[in-house]
Amino acid sequence: MDALALARWQFAITTVYHFILVPLTIGLAPLVAGMQTAWVVTKNERWLRLTKFFGKLLLINFALGVATGLLQEFQFGMNWSEYSRFVGDIFGAPLAMESLAAFFVESTFLGLWIFGWDRLNKKVHLACAWAFSLATIVSAFFILAANSWMQHPVGATYNATTGRAEMVSIGKILTNNTLWAAFPHTVTAAFLVAGTFVCGVATWWMVRLVRTKKPHLVELARSTYRPAVILGACVMLVAGVGVILSGDAQGKIMYQQQPGKMSAAESLCEGQENASFSILTIGPWNPTCDELTRVIEVPGVASFLGTGHFSGPDSFLPGVNDVQKEMSAKFGATDSAGNPIQYTPPLAVSYWAFRLMIGLAVFSAALALWALWATRRGRMSDNTWLSRLGILAIPMPFLACSFGWIFTEVGRQPWVVAPNPTGIDEVRLLTERGVSTAVPAGVMLASMIVFTLLYLVLGVIWYRLIHRYAIEGVPEVHDESPEARAASGEDDSDRPLSFAY
Amino acid sequence: MDLSILWFVLVALLWTGYLVLEGFDFGVGMLLSLFPRGDREQRATERRVLINTIGPVWDGNEVWLITAGGATFAAFPEWYATLFSGFYIPLALILFALIVRVVAFEYRGKIASTAWARRFDVVLTASSWVPSVLWGVAFANLVRGVLLDEHHQYIGGFWALLNPFALLGGLTTLVLFLLHGSLFLALKTDGELRHRARRFAGWFGLAAIVVAGGWAVWAQVAFSVGWTWAAVAVAALGLVGVVLTNARGREGLAFILSAVTLVAAVVLIFGSMYPDVMPGLHGGPSLSIHAASSTHYTLTVMTWVAVFLTPVVIVYQSWTYWVFRRRLTTSDMPAPAGLAWKKVKDALGGHETPAVDPSELA
């Protein structure tokens, strides 16, 4: 493999991996903060138990997310130095803002939260939980601002002297409509992940405890796990609706901004009105347009999703071949080495990633509805099929998120900075032009192997710890806050720390 | 004022924050392998105390690096691109170390097994030694100058980075961080540990005077400009002051002087680089502040962001240190809260047998 392929593989591996961890953190942190709020407000111990239980799972996940995020920050310079030179004037700003406005808050207040149970009074400690939870969402905003600019550059101009893109309006970059479609979609998807996680784990526990038929365990299931099941299910439903609405808006925007991406997702070769939505299309691995066989399709739905019209001239969707023709005319049919440029992304990856992103959400929907039904009006369930569904559903939205990003990023190819179809045409960069030229392929290969192996090892540890802490169940708790200790009136100035690594 | 110069100073400031704060984190991490005394169990407990002196703050400290990286990207894209693609291998090693270090902190106490904690302590130690040396190597190379072509690409290769001056630079950060970490421990522990930390600081202080002093004079004479003699002098006075104040048990003052020394080191490094961000080797092609810089507009935006947010960051981070100001000893360590491995079928979870006996918590 050449340096370009290696750099792409390393980026794909490390980024997909990083984004397995990120949605759970973004979604679960506010849920844990919410549980802690419920404890502080209601003083009901079950919420403290749930806070500690899901808080531990959150921390195990948070740590690996932070660790793998380090590489993300520097990888642009290491493997993609020419990309960094081209976009740095614009792309660096949201990254720097992210660390100053969000990451500092996350890391500092997370430390306060972990170690501060007995140091800070309840309300301040709770505020720390909210601070790092909300900061994760702010973080997502700035990172998506950077990514959305690559999808759809705005607020920039091309400087022919330096050969770089330059920022002319930070306001336009932060109000990019691509960003304001991607941000709600990503955040609601993160809540879908976390809601499924909470509901799945709590459902498994509820069923398990009810089946013991021991009164105190059944009572624990009722008092503590059942509320978590309901909380998770409600979060899933609300987030699910949000994912659908924001995804629909994003799809329509993408048809205008990157038609090649969307027509590849629909395996639509020739532009047409009343375009069908393909349920199943088959073809060889990495097919060309002529090799596709559309097996099952629903007429008009692709047009409706892309344009809001089932039929008529407004429902016209461009096909892969149209995009190729148009872009070749606009940007040249061959690259500097004389090779033809393929202006649309790989069909199979785009098509399947898009369908898996949508299709895997079915598990969350099924779990949410069944769990709510099973817990209606004070009921609980001892149905092992429900608990199996709970466990099965947990990984699905993680995978859906991964496929969503694979679709977004693969679908942008061959561009790393896709051209804006309505202006500032010179601000665009082919992926092959972004790779570092100063780094030998052997070094990149070594780095890719080393980080992949490291991530595998860390992934195994992460999974085993999550699994171990999940099957431990909610811990025994007591109120360690300074005011509770003051109320008990003991002198405890030399008591051990409430928590230590 | 030219904003690119301001940002050169701001990037230096972010690196200062990083080296001063993460410097003692690395120092404490390295000391895990040198500091503990006694039998096996006692050493394990002392390691735990050491780790928890920085427990609540190391993560926030590390963000100074992320911010320095992000600010370099935003304000000096060419510098970011050339530096990180050019210094690829050292940077990859540093990142590897930092990644496993994060995980080691968070996971070491998760499983109730001495072997588990021991393994992560080894990881934590190693991942503190490696960046402590490599940051010095990297910065020393920037002081010395690097081989660039006309297109601002680094073409010197990996082995050229391991020249004697850079290696002494690596040794310099190593010793300075060990000193800084010892002083932090003297501030954050009590009893016998505190006295031992002072003794360590005394020895590392003397070593720092020799090693860091030698490197600073070399850097000054061979690669720098006249005015940075002031930084060399401040660093030297700082280190002598550290040794004197530490000998008298003035831990707070000694720690501040050690931080001043690190500040002076950054001033020397960035002062010698100016007006380049990557000076050329032996006067060859260089990358200047001007050539590396973003546009005036981007720098203006970033200046507003930095001016508003940096003071806020400093306020809440300082507050964290205040909240966790308590000195620690081995008796402050709570019972380990980790779990033992268990299979699903064997476990009804903690509901039948709690991991920690509730009576221990009370």
Side-chain angles (χ1 to χ4, degrees):
Chain A
M1 280 195 275
D2 59 356
L4 174 65
L6 290 164
R8 289 183 67 181
W9 271 110
Q10 177 170 329
F11 201 88
I13 292 167
T14 55
T15 309
V16 167
Y17 189 100
H18 180 59
F19 206 78
I20 288 172
L21 309 161
V22 168
L24 183 59
T25 294
I26 293 177
L28 191 54
L31 292 186
V32 169
M35 292 171 190
Q36 191 175 341
T37 309
W39 171 60
V40 172
V41 173
T42 66
K43 302 188 176 61
N44 188 326
E45 202 172 64
R46 69 170 165 226
W47 291 113
L48 180 59
R49 297 183 80 176
L50 288 170
T51 305
K52 294 259 181 175
F53 176 55
F54 284 109
K56 280 178 191 163
L57 295 169
L58 170 67
L59 291 179
I60 293 166
N61 188 65
F62 212 118
L64 197 53
V66 168
T68 53
L70 284 164
L71 186 61
Q72 297 303 103
E73 176 90 2
F74 294 96
Q75 197 167 192
F76 297 110
M78 294 166 75
N79 283 347
W80 300 97
S81 66
E82 303 321 291
Y83 165 78
S84 303
R85 282 179 220 281
F86 181 74
V87 301
D89 197 67
I90 300 140
F91 191 83
L95 294 194
M97 289 177 192
E98 190 257 353
S99 10
L100 271 169
F103 199 39
F104 262 126
V105 178
E106 281 172 57
S107 304
T108 309
F109 287 92
L110 188 68
L112 282 158
W113 189 72
I114 298 174
F115 285 84
W117 285 95
D118 63 341
R119 297 271 121 205
L120 301 167
N121 82 47
K122 268 187 205 173
K123 295 217 169 87
V124 176
H125 187 256
L126 177 62
C128 292
W130 280 110
F132 77 74
S133 305
L134 296 178
T136 61
I137 295 174
V138 176
S139 213
F141 176 79
F142 284 113
I143 298 301
L144 289 169
N147 180 269
S148 296
W149 187 85
M150 298 162 73
Q151 307 286 350
H152 184 64
V154 291
T157 177
Y158 179 73
N159 182 332
T161 320
T162 58
R164 304 194 308 208
E166 292 180 351
M167 194 196 293
V168 292
S169 165
I170 184 72
K172 282 190 181 156
I173 290 166
L174 296 181
T175 55
N176 191 347
N177 65 352
T178 320
L179 167 62
W180 283 96
F183 176 59
H185 194 55
T186 309
V187 171
T188 49
F191 276 99
L192 186 67
V193 169
T196 310
F197 184 82
V198 169
C199 185
V201 171
T203 301
W204 183 82
W205 265 112
M206 179 182 73
V207 171
R208 193 176 176 83
L209 293 184
V210 169
R211 289 178 75 83
T212 64
K213 298 199 172 67
K214 292 181 187 166
H216 70 288
L217 292 180
V218 175
E219 180 47 36
L220 178 70
R222 175 174 305 283
S223 70
T224 307
Y225 287 110
R226 187 174 165 274
V229 172
I230 296 170
L231 173 70
C234 292
V235 169
M236 265 194 276
L237 285 184
V238 174
V241 171
V243 168
I244 292 168
L245 294 178
S246 58
D248 179 56
Q250 208 180 2
K252 290 186 168 58
I253 289 174
M254 265 309 129
Y255 246 115
Q256 293 156 16
Q257 296 178 346
Q258 292 177 31
K261 174 188 280 184
M262 297 309 291
S263 43
E266 300 297 356
S267 69
L268 194 66
C269 290
E270 302 297 337
Q272 52 188 273
E273 294 172 11
N274 188 23
S276 310
F277 183 85
S278 159
I279 305 280
L280 180 65
T281 293
I282 52 173
W285 179 246
N286 201 11
T288 63
C289 252
D290 310 327
E291 298 167 322
L292 295 175
T293 316
R294 293 169 75 96
V295 183
I296 311 172
E297 50 185 18
V298 190
V301 172
S303 276
F304 179 70
L305 290 176
T307 64
H309 300 276
F310 281 104
S311 57
D314 286 340
S315 74
F316 180 83
L317 293 183
V320 171
N321 293 340
D322 305 306
V323 174
Q324 176 69 23
K325 213 176 294 168
E326 189 193 331
M327 290 227 173
S328 301
K330 211 166 170 184
F331 304 121
T334 55
D335 65 14
S336 49
N339 303 313
I341 303 177
Q342 175 69 35
Y343 280 108
T344 50
L347 288 173
V349 177
S350 309
Y351 177 88
W352 284 112
F354 188 63
R355 268 149 198 77
L356 286 167
M357 170 183 79
I358 297 168
L360 290 172
V362 167
F363 291 89
S364 295
L367 176 62
L369 295 175
W370 190 356
L372 283 178
W373 178 252
T375 54
R376 71 192 184 282
R377 286 194 229 109
R379 284 184 177 80
M380 288 201 287
S381 171
D382 64 350
N383 189 332
T384 48
W385 286 105
L386 176 60
S387 73
R388 279 185 200 132
L389 175 63
I391 299 304
L392 182 68
I394 290 174
M396 298 305 170
F398 285 90
L399 292 172
C401 285
S402 294
F403 283 117
W405 274 108
I406 289 169
F407 169 62
T408 305
E409 297 296 289
V410 171
R412 195 187 55 230
Q413 304 304 323
W415 304 103
V416 64
V417 179
N420 182 332
T422 56
I424 54 170
D425 271 342
E426 292 83 2
V427 181
R428 59 174 191 266
L429 192 71
L430 288 168
T431 306
E432 61 182 40
R433 303 283 297 276
V435 71
S436 294
T437 51
V439 183
V443 172
M444 278 193 196
L445 178 66
S447 141
M448 187 188 81
I449 291 172
V450 166
F451 281 108
T452 305
L453 290 178
L454 171 67
Y455 279 19
L456 277 176
V457 172
L458 295 180
V460 170
I461 299 173
W462 168 83
Y463 174 77
R464 293 196 65 191
L465 283 176
I466 294 260
H467 181 263
R468 179 63 192 90
Y469 274 79
I471 65 168
E472 183 66 12
V474 293
E476 296 291 335
V477 292
H478 69 287
D479 187 348
E480 306 152 284
S481 63
E483 52 266 52
R485 296 206 319 277
S488 72
E490 289 168 41
D491 174 32
D492 57 358
S493 53
D494 58 349
R495 60 192 286 281
L497 303 176
S498 73
F499 173 84
Y501 281 132
Chain B
M1 184 180 171
D2 187 347
L3 282 180
S4 56
I5 309 289
L6 174 71
W7 271 91
F8 183 69
V9 175
L10 281 175
V11 169
L13 204 68
L14 292 169
W15 279 108
T16 307
Y18 179 64
L19 297 177
V20 168
L21 295 172
E22 188 101 306
F24 65 73
D25 292 344
F26 285 143
V28 171
M30 290 189 281
L31 285 168
L32 290 176
S33 55
L34 304 172
F35 191 83
R37 295 283 179 270
D39 61 20
R40 204 181 171 84
E41 196 183 340
Q42 172 72 13
R43 288 203 306 275
T45 315
E46 290 193 5
R47 280 202 305 274
R48 191 156 178 236
V49 175
L50 261 55
I51 290 167
N52 282 287
T53 58
I54 52 175
V57 295
W58 66 270
D59 196 4
N61 295 345
E62 195 164 272
V63 181
W64 287 87
L65 169 66
I66 311 287
T67 310
T72 309
F73 199 173
F76 301 103
E78 293 275 338
W79 188 12
Y80 174 85
T82 304
L83 179 64
F84 293 143
S85 63
F87 289 14
Y88 193 101
I89 293 175
L91 189 70
L93 289 172
I94 288 172
L95 289 172
F96 186 96
L98 294 182
I99 288 170
V100 295
R101 187 165 158 274
V102 173
V103 172
F105 271 113
E106 295 290 348
Y107 289 0
R108 72 175 295 283
K110 292 282 177 237
I111 293 299
S113 133
T114 45
W116 173 274
R118 170 85 200 129
R119 250 174 250 148
F120 278 110
D121 287 353
V122 170
V123 169
L124 227 168
T125 312
S127 60
S128 301
W129 285 93
V130 169
S132 296
V133 175
L134 289 178
W135 283 127
V137 170
F139 276 115
N141 273 301
L142 289 181
V143 170
R144 180 171 176 264
V146 288
L147 194 60
L148 299 180
D149 68 10
E150 280 78 26
H151 307 293
H152 304 151
Q153 300 284 3
Y154 174 74
I155 49 170
F158 170 63
W159 298 107
L161 298 175
L162 302 182
N163 54 77
F165 177 72
L167 292 175
L168 187 60
L171 207 55
T172 298
T173 43
L174 181 79
V175 176
L176 287 178
F177 290 168
L178 281 167
L179 170 64
H180 205 44
S182 308
L183 291 166
F184 184 76
L185 285 181
L187 265 180
K188 281 289 296 179
T189 58
D190 217 343
E192 203 273 318
L193 293 177
R194 180 178 177 181
H195 291 286
R196 199 192 307 160
R198 279 194 214 155
R199 282 203 305 282
F200 269 76
W203 289 111
F204 286 132
L206 293 175
I209 291 176
V210 176
V211 175
W215 182 81
V217 171
W218 186 354
Q220 176 61 41
V221 172
F223 307 109
S224 197
V225 288
W227 69 267
T228 52
W229 273 113
V232 177
V234 170
L237 287 175
L239 285 177
V240 172
V242 166
V243 173
L244 295 178
T245 50
N246 180 61
R248 292 174 186 205
R250 302 282 306 276
E251 292 143 350
L253 194 55
F255 182 76
I256 290 170
L257 286 172
S258 163
V260 167
T261 304
L262 287 168
V263 175
V266 174
V267 172
L268 170 62
I269 291 165
F270 279 74
S272 73
M273 279 151 58
Y274 183 88
D276 291 324
V277 289
M278 292 184 84
L281 186 64
H282 310 313
S286 68
L287 178 59
S288 68
I289 292 176
H290 181 71
S293 157
S294 282
T295 56
H296 186 76
Y297 178 80
T298 299
L299 293 180
T300 310
V301 170
M302 289 313 301
T303 304
W304 283 108
V305 173
V307 162
F308 276 104
L309 288 179
T310 315
V312 181
V313 170
I314 292 173
V315 167
Y316 62 65
Q317 284 211 332
S318 310
W319 178 62
T320 311
Y321 284 88
W322 172 251
V323 170
F324 299 109
R325 65 194 176 280
R326 171 174 167 184
R327 287 177 181 271
L328 300 181
T329 64
T330 47
S331 64
D332 291 316
M333 291 299 109
L339 305 176
W341 290 118
K342 224 183 232 179
K343 290 207 171 68
V344 179
K345 63 177 167 54
D346 303 330
L348 200 59
H351 303 314
E352 293 292 74
T353 47
V356 183
D357 192 335
S359 64
E360 279 179 48
L361 293 169

